[in-house]
Amino acid sequence: MQKSKDIKRYKIAASILDCDFLNLGSEIKKIENLGIEIVHLDVMDGCFVENISIGQPVISGIRKFTGMFLDVHLMIKNPDRHLDSFIECGADLICVHAEECPHLAWTLSHIKKSGLKAAVALNPSTPVSIIENVLCYLDMVLLMTVNPGFGGQEFLGEMLVKIEKLKGMLKDYANYSRDYRNIDIQVDGGINPDTAAGAVKAGANILVLGSAIFKSDNPGEIVKKVSNCFLQTI
Ligand code: DX5
Ligand code: ZN
């Protein structure tokens, strides 16, 4: 009973960065039919990261098409300037990079006040201590397990200790603040059936999968293997 309750915290989020954009609707249907609940939307501006991807019009279109949870990962300069437009286009969660937010407490509380879930992403070189004073605003922390910008990169194994460190920090925070909400730990970059188990064991409970799903001939098998990692870890 407890196990079945716990397993619900473990989720796959499908990043569409490497999907077939000419057939976006059927690509979204495909992941929905695989039982995935979260669409991870990578917004890139060519400044914060080298690549340029999708923006508000595409997200609005996806919102009209599906009831899936839309997790918007903003890899853009000065995200504060664009928060309202992403809120309006139907995101369920907005994730900003700490490296781009000088007023992180304001940014996160603005997202929360708009009725969305709020998250912070950290590049591999950014220490978890940067979010120590904003945990009360957070629903999720995203740890980049590659340097952001592109799909299909290799998982950085040295991030496993960082996941553990964050897990410990969240536990300490819950104890001293008596804020017992579950703050999710998402990992993003290079996640596949080979790297998933280590990330989950270290403390991650939401795994972003991009190329592992969209470049696979058998995405159902990939989802099954990653879901098995969840079952084996809890
Ligand atoms: C990288 C993005 C990721 C990426 C995931 O900057 O934030 O979401 O697209 O793709 P894979 O799973 O292929 O690393
Ligand atoms: Zn992402």
Side-chain angles (χ1 to χ4, degrees), residues 15 17 40-44 73 75 142 144 186 188-189 208:
S15 158
L17 191 61
H40 180 87
L41 298 158
D42 289 304
V43 178
M44 302 175 173
H73 176 193
M75 283 162 279
L142 183 169
M144 289 304 310
Q186 184 179 66
D188 185 11
V208 176

Side-chain angles (χ1 to χ4, degrees), residues 13 19 65 89-90 104 125 139 164 190 194 220 226:
C19 80
F65 181 74
C89 70
L104 196 49
S125 60
D139 296 294
E164 283 170 9
D194 296 329
V226 172

